[in-house]
């Protein structure tokens, strides 16, 4: 069902929604941007319509709503282990406003955490099962996006789709509570989602990647240029790596907790093993690992590319390293070209 809402109508709808649900979306943190005098647009709690930023891409992705940066898995005390429990606020139904690329990214995370082994990851599943999505339709592409190339400009799996248009908001309600809320706060209307049809950036993912490219000189540029800061992976909506740490409390070393914390394949120490063995010390090799995982390894396992073309990794990289350019170079090399 479709509905047309005035700004006051959508504001009232959200005021009702937040009384029974946690709502997250792109919000503005004034003066917290990467450059002096700029704002940070990122995911945060939404208390009302005025909080939602419609016209900018977030620096970080929505994944931390259901895959926190750090999370206690269990507590230990004198040989006893107690699994961590979610707070009452964390088992409330949760609504996340996100764009088509990020909704596609959720399907990638679901594959890793729920389908990639004999059992689902309980810690991910317990948050994810309470999380629902509202699609924020992109009427125009942001600079650096390549969702059309990746086939992630369209999405499914959301409860509702919403866009501002002509001074109103157009809502496509696909499930409750949006059907009831649309009835109550809007007027019936014909509403179909709008999908971005063109990006300024086009990326050609190679159909296959030959192992001869593993030693290609193209990776050497990244060996010197990449500073191993990990920003690209922390901002990526599809990266899922974490490390596990045991924390012993200072006041009683017999007690403590096991935590998992986001990790990055780009930073020093990620591949360190017992005995001092390190698998990928060279930063160019780390870049190769990341890029091929996003556009080749994952596809071999699940049949879809991991990268959803959101463009964040390039936007946040302090060294202006372009993931898209790297993938296009790989395509040219696989087609017999010299690469960019
Ligand atoms: S690899 Fe880069 S462009 Fe692709 S999904 Fe991750 S952050 Fe977005
Ligand atoms: S953001 Fe750029 S410099 Fe930092 S780890 Fe990623 S590719 Fe390297």
């Amino acid at each position: 069902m479709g509905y047309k809402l005035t700004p006051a109508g959508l504001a009232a709808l959200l005021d009702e929604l937040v009384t029974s649900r946690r709502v997250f979306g792109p919000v503005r943190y004034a003066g917290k941007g990467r450059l002096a005098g700029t704002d940070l647009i990122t995911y945060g709690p939404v208390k009302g319509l005025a909080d939602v930023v419609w016209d900018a891409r977030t620096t970080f992705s929505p994944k931390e709503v259901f895959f926190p940066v750090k999370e206690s898995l269990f507590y230990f005390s004198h040989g006893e282990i107690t699994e961590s429990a979610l707070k009452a606020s964390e088992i409330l139904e949760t609504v996340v406003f996100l764009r088509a690329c990020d909704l596609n990214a959720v399907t990638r995370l679901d594959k890793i955490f729920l389908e990639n082994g004999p059992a689902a990851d309980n810690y991910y599943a317990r948050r994810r099962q309470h999380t629902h999505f509202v699609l924020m339709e992109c009427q125009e592409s942001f600079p650096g996006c390549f969702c059309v190339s990746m086939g992630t400009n369209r999405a499914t799996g959301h409860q509702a789709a919403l866009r501002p248009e002509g001074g109103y908001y157009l809502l496509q309600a696909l499930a409750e509570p949006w059907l009831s809320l649309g009835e109550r706060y809007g007027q019936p209307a014909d509403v179909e989602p709008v999908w971005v049809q063109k990006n300024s950036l086009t990326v050609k993912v190679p159909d296959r990647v030959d192992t001869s490219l593993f030693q290609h000189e193209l990776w050497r540029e990244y060996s010197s240029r990449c500073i191993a800061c990990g920003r690209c992976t922390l901002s990526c909506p599809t990266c899922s790596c974490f490390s596990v740490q045991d924390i012993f409390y200072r006041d009683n070393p017999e007690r403590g907790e096991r935590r998992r914390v986001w990790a990055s394949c780009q930073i020093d120490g990620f591949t360190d093993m017992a005995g001092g063995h390190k698998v990928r010390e060279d930063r160019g090799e780390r870049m190769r690992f990341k890029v091929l995982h996003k556009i080749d390894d994952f596809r071999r396992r699940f049949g879809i590319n991991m990268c959803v073309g959101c463009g964040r990794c390039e936007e946040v990289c302090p060294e202006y390293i372009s993931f898209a350019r790297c993938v296009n170079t790989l395509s040219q090399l696989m087609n017999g070209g010299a690469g960019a």
Side-chain angles (χ1 to χ4, degrees), residues 222 225-233 264 266-267 283 287 290 313 316-322:
Y222 306 111
R225 186 178 286 266
C226 174
I227 59 169
C229 65
R231 289 177 66 109
C232 51
T233 50
S264 167
Q266 302 303 288
I267 63 171
R283 292 167 189 178
M287 181 74 177
K290 178 183 73 179
C313 53
V316 301
C317 177
E319 293 297 311
Y320 305 102
I321 290 172
S322 168

Side-chain angles (χ1 to χ4, degrees), residues 146 232 235-238 294 306-313 323:
F146 50 98
C232 51
S235 65
C236 177
T238 68
K294 299 284 182 198
M306 190 177 189
C307 173
V308 294
C310 71
R312 288 187 179 97
C313 53
F323 180 91

